[in-house]
Amino acid sequence: MSIASAQPGISTSEAEVTHISKHGIWLLLGERELFMSFEQFPWFRNASLAAVQDVQWPQVHHLYWPQLDIDLAVESIERPEQFPLVAKG
């Protein structure tokens, strides 16, 4: 009898905001560092530092900021050119 240590698709790594500048946010996802410009992701521009830093990585391809109620596909950060619509902040 074997017991699975984690549910499939659940990330065991932590997402971390490593830097915030006037241009955007840098996220560390495992060994990858990604940049989110405020131009592409405007709703983060006026968010509190605590709210931006409170990021969860519930699935390999999904990020969630509970204090801001924002869900993002990791791919939208990695390849913003494939997601041309920008939400208004």
Side-chain angles (χ1 to χ4, degrees):
M1 176 184 208
S2 69
I3 298 174
S5 61
Q7 296 178 14
I10 301 296
S11 174
T12 58
S13 299
E14 294 291 320
E16 179 183 352
V17 173
T18 59
H19 184 74
I20 300 173
S21 76
K22 66 180 182 177
H23 303 287
I25 301 164
W26 282 262
L27 287 172
L28 185 61
L29 302 179
E31 296 182 8
R32 298 176 295 163
E33 191 165 38
L34 305 174
F35 178 69
M36 298 169 48
S37 74
F38 289 135
E39 186 175 305
Q40 288 286 331
F41 303 94
W43 49 89
F44 290 99
R45 183 184 310 272
N46 295 317
S48 73
L49 183 60
V52 172
Q53 289 179 325
D54 183 18
V55 58
Q56 299 173 2
W57 195 11
Q59 297 177 359
V60 175
H61 302 290
H62 175 188
L63 293 165
Y64 180 58
W65 283 262
Q67 293 183 43
L68 302 170
D69 195 27
I70 295 174
D71 289 279
L72 288 177
V74 172
E75 186 178 14
S76 70
I77 300 167
E78 294 173 324
R79 296 176 192 83
E81 70 281 358
Q82 293 181 5
F83 298 84
L85 298 177
V86 177
K88 301 297 180 199

